Amino acid sequence: MRVTALSLRDFRSYAVAELRLGPGITVVHGRNGAGKTNLLEGLFVGCTGRSFRTSTDREAIRFGAPLARVELAAEDDDGPHAISVALVAGGPRRLRADGAVVERLTDLPARPLASVFAPDRLELLKGGPALRRAHLDQVVAALWPSRAGRRREYARALTQRNALLARVRMGTGAREALRAWDRQLATHGVALMADRREAVEELAPRFATLADDLGLDGAGELTYRPRSRAADAAGLVQELAERLDGDLERGFSGHGPHRDDLSLSRERRELRTYGSQGEQRLGLLALLLAERAAIGAARTRAPLMLLDDAMSELDADRRARLVDLLRETPGQSVIATTDLDQVPGAREPDVARVAVAGGTVLEAASARAAA
């Protein structure tokens, strides 16, 4: 699926904006504060129904406006598709796909997938395990949409078990009643762990190759680190039973897949702890590109790659390597930069170029984007 156009109304700094994307690489360039990141955010909202910058819709609505509207045009083998997202101040989002009201864009089979690199996303490597778990579960859902509900099922069982733990601790619940929730939690938990493990097995060899291609010094390794050692649901039930006294003392479940982690390392040293800023940046890029390749192979459509300020801390050789990788793999990419010359090949005729300033799309040039 290819994204062909984006339309924004009262979104961030844009009163009105129209953007056409090329079939391959599109470069959005302009000074700091010109609105480049806002365009990428708008594309992500159009693909997913949510922002990668904020969980508060009000922040994405232009000052003084009651709502912001994002409209995305895309096409695939079945023809054109239209997605619209309305962000309403103080109200729920309004989502439509091909004219029909929908509850979640992520449940739609016919929608563009999107992956984003931004400096703030380095927190995925630097931050706590919860960020990496959530990211890995999103990759699972993108690879195998039919499995997307397993994380929600596990989360519901975990919430119920924690609520019962609190009641038992206060003397208003029966300890024996926890057994049923242990079985529920274990059943969903083992399935969730199997999905995460399979996803990492798909990603790990790609990550190692791409990390090397991007110039990360030393062997890159992606590793799934489950908290549980259980091979089946019965094994996880046993682990939960062995830790029940500790759970009752804490008042919540301290063991299970909700404590898993994902490790990115170089020469067996975690990038989170031992990697420089530049190495962490290369690790994140390698991870996102590995996910793009795996999803593209599994679903025959690669995610739209959104790269915000990816070039500024890379040397000329690594910039060239990154652009070559984007050119060589299927799918579209949008690169935001303050300097067009920081993107190797940006002036080639097969690259779409969009200049922005002061919340306005000034010009667009591309030999193929208009085709």
Side-chain angles (χ1 to χ4, degrees), residues 78-217:
D78 296 327
H81 297 277
I83 295 172
S84 70
V85 179
L87 307 178
V88 183
R93 300 169 193 165
R94 301 201 292 261
L95 312 175
R96 299 181 72 90
D98 293 334
V101 176
V102 295
E103 183 177 350
R104 286 189 298 264
L105 293 183
T106 50
D107 292 340
L108 297 177
R111 74 167 179 94
L113 305 174
S115 179
V116 59
F117 172 91
D120 288 349
R121 293 215 73 198
L122 286 174
E123 192 63 20
L124 184 63
L125 272 69
K126 298 177 179 181
L131 293 172
R132 292 182 288 280
R133 282 194 301 271
H135 181 80
L136 182 56
D137 290 338
Q138 289 168 3
V139 175
V140 168
L143 284 168
W144 307 292
S146 63
R147 307 184 195 181
R150 288 181 180 171
R151 181 191 180 195
R152 293 194 292 268
E153 290 166 350
Y154 179 82
R156 281 195 291 267
L158 180 63
T159 298
Q160 292 295 333
R161 185 178 191 267
N162 284 341
L164 184 53
L165 281 170
R167 292 199 296 272
V168 173
R169 190 184 187 201
M170 293 186 296
T172 59
R175 183 179 177 125
E176 294 75 19
L178 284 163
R179 294 174 185 169
W181 285 113
D182 285 357
R183 290 192 294 271
Q184 286 272 351
L185 194 69
T187 298
H188 297 313
V190 167
L192 183 59
M193 287 191 296
D195 289 343
R196 290 172 174 174
R197 184 174 292 107
E198 187 177 352
V200 174
E201 288 172 355
E202 289 287 330
L203 296 176
R206 291 181 168 94
F207 174 80
T209 299
L210 286 161
D212 182 62
D213 289 344
L214 287 169
L216 182 67
D217 293 330

Side-chain angles (χ1 to χ4, degrees), residues 106-345:
T106 50
D107 292 340
L108 297 177
R111 74 167 179 94
L113 305 174
S115 179
V116 59
F117 172 91
D120 288 349
R121 293 215 73 198
L122 286 174
E123 192 63 20
L124 184 63
L125 272 69
K126 298 177 179 181
L131 293 172
R132 292 182 288 280
R133 282 194 301 271
H135 181 80
L136 182 56
D137 290 338
Q138 289 168 3
V139 175
V140 168
L143 284 168
W144 307 292
S146 63
R147 307 184 195 181
R150 288 181 180 171
R151 181 191 180 195
R152 293 194 292 268
E153 290 166 350
Y154 179 82
R156 281 195 291 267
L158 180 63
T159 298
Q160 292 295 333
R161 185 178 191 267
N162 284 341
L164 184 53
L165 281 170
R167 292 199 296 272
V168 173
R169 190 184 187 201
M170 293 186 296
T172 59
R175 183 179 177 125
E176 294 75 19
L178 284 163
R179 294 174 185 169
W181 285 113
D182 285 357
R183 290 192 294 271
Q184 286 272 351
L185 194 69
T187 298
H188 297 313
V190 167
L192 183 59
M193 287 191 296
D195 289 343
R196 290 172 174 174
R197 184 174 292 107
E198 187 177 352
V200 174
E201 288 172 355
E202 289 287 330
L203 296 176
R206 291 181 168 94
F207 174 80
T209 299
L210 286 161
D212 182 62
D213 289 344
L214 287 169
L216 182 67
D217 293 330
E221 187 176 9
L222 185 68
T223 309
Y224 173 47
R225 292 186 173 175
R227 174 60 63 95
S228 170
R229 297 181 179 273
D232 53 27
L236 184 50
V237 167
Q238 181 63 32
E239 290 178 350
L240 292 170
E242 292 169 354
R243 293 163 174 80
L244 180 55
D245 288 342
D247 287 348
L248 287 170
E249 183 177 346
R250 285 185 298 267
F252 60 87
S253 305
H255 182 73
H258 58 286
R259 304 299 296 275
D260 289 354
D261 202 355
L262 180 69
S263 171
L264 290 81
S265 61
R266 179 188 67 84
E267 295 293 306
R268 300 191 176 184
R269 297 170 71 87
E270 279 200 280
L271 291 173
R272 178 189 180 202
T273 305
Y274 299 103
S276 67
Q277 181 88 354
E279 288 169 339
Q280 291 173 345
R281 181 175 284 244
L282 291 174
L284 178 57
L285 284 168
L287 176 63
L288 297 178
L289 289 169
E291 293 165 1
R292 184 195 202 201
I295 293 166
R299 299 187 60 181
T300 66
R301 55 190 176 107
L304 170 65
M305 195 81 179
L306 305 173
L307 299 161
D308 187 23
D309 195 28
M311 301 292 177
S312 64
E313 292 188 22
L314 300 180
D315 58 39
D317 181 58
R318 288 186 172 92
R319 290 174 193 165
R321 293 186 190 194
L322 175 56
V323 172
D324 285 345
L325 287 169
L326 295 174
R327 286 180 179 275
E328 292 166 4
T329 54
Q332 295 172 278
S333 304
V334 182
I335 303 172
T337 181
T338 56
D339 184 354
L340 196 61
D341 291 329
Q342 282 190 345
V343 183

Side-chain angles (χ1 to χ4, degrees), residues 66-88:
L67 59 85
R69 186 175 299 278
V70 177
E71 296 179 351
L72 200 72
E75 60 184 26
D76 60 13
D77 292 341
D78 296 327
H81 297 277
I83 295 172
S84 70
V85 179
L87 307 178
V88 183

